[in-house]
């Protein structure tokens, strides 16, 4: 019995050491969060508009039948990284003609309205997800998250976190090119 009790700390040290080594693996990207939605139909949802905004709500049906894929961005006024990526998303809409839809996640409508009035509204449609239920259906881990959805409603790409900085913008633009939203560079 004493021998078994003496081995427990050794076993625990091996387990902790294994997790430590796994965390140090240079091939592991800790920011890469797998999504079960990739290559799957977008979840079924139907969100009303944000009260006080002159923009229609958003549902799964709005993602279907589009000639080119659309971008769905999950954001909130209380989200500091969302504010940082807002200019990038606005530029994609203004300069590149990207169709941008939004899910306003767990946000007070008045706050969302003020936020969009101050920063500008690049969204074609915005669904209000006060309860967070649509966010659960989309499998988000936090805000912001951005998806590219094909005209048949299939989720093609997921970006977790703010699309800011040269590397992030480049990766997202490459995903837009691969999805056929942006033209390939020559």
């Amino acid at each position: 019995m004493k021998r078994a009790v003496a081995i427990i700390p050794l076993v625990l040290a091996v387990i902790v050491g294994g997790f430590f080594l796994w965390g140090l693996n240079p091939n592991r990207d800790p920011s890469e969060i797998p999504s079960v939605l990739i290559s799957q139909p977008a979840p079924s949802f139907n969100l009303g508009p944000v009260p006080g905004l002159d923009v229609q709500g958003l549902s799964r049906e709005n993602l279907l039948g589009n000639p080119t894929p659309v971008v769905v961005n999950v954001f909130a006024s209380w989200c500091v990284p969302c504010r940082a990526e807002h200019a990038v998303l606005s530029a994609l809409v203004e300069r590149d003609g990207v169709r941008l839809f939004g899910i306003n996640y767990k946000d007070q409508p008045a706050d969302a309205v003020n936020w969009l009035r101050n920063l500008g509204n690049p969204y074609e449609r915005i669904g209000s997800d006060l309860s967070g239920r649509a966010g659960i259906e989309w499998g988000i881990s936090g805000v912001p998250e951005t998806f590219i959805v094909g005209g048949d409603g299939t989720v093609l790409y997921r970006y977790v976190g703010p699309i800011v900085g040269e590397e992030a913008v480049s990766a997202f633009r490459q995903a837009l090119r691969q999805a056929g939203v942006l033209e390939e560079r020559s």
Side-chain angles (χ1 to χ4, degrees):
M1 178 69 175
K2 287 184 178 185
R3 179 173 266 175
V5 171
I7 293 178
I8 290 174
L10 178 63
V11 170
L12 287 174
V14 168
I15 291 171
V16 169
F19 278 114
F20 180 73
L21 289 174
W22 173 75
L24 291 177
N25 180 354
N27 297 323
R28 188 179 81 82
D29 182 0
S31 68
E32 188 174 296
I33 300 172
S35 174
V36 296
L37 285 179
I38 302 300
S39 298
Q40 299 296 316
S44 181
F45 68 102
N46 187 2
L47 299 172
V50 175
L53 275 181
D54 191 24
V55 177
Q56 293 180 331
L58 181 64
S59 69
R60 183 178 193 284
E61 284 67 39
N62 302 126
L63 305 178
L64 302 173
N66 294 298
T68 59
V70 297
V71 174
V72 177
N73 176 249
V74 184
F75 73 98
S77 65
W78 47 262
C79 165
V80 175
C82 295
R83 178 177 285 271
E85 85 170 354
H86 191 80
V88 172
L89 296 174
S90 294
L92 286 171
V93 170
E94 292 168 12
R95 284 188 253 156
D96 298 312
V98 171
R99 293 187 66 202
L100 179 64
F101 297 150
I103 297 176
N104 185 231
Y105 182 71
K106 292 187 174 184
D107 205 358
Q108 293 303 312
D111 295 340
V113 168
N114 289 334
W115 193 76
L116 288 166
R117 284 197 178 130
N118 289 336
L119 298 177
N121 183 6
Y123 300 97
E124 191 173 314
R125 291 177 163 269
I126 303 174
S128 177
D129 186 19
L130 254 169
S131 70
R133 183 73 200 158
I136 292 169
E137 296 297 326
W138 280 87
I140 69 164
S141 57
V143 288
E145 287 197 23
T146 307
F147 299 85
I148 300 173
V149 180
D152 62 352
T154 301
V155 176
L156 303 174
Y157 182 78
R158 174 186 185 204
Y159 191 89
V160 177
I163 303 169
V164 293
E166 189 176 319
E167 188 175 314
V169 172
S170 177
F172 193 73
R173 289 184 70 81
Q174 179 60 31
L176 288 170
R177 277 191 289 282
Q178 289 173 346
V181 178
L182 300 179
E183 295 197 12
E184 292 286 334
R185 291 186 206 162
S186 15

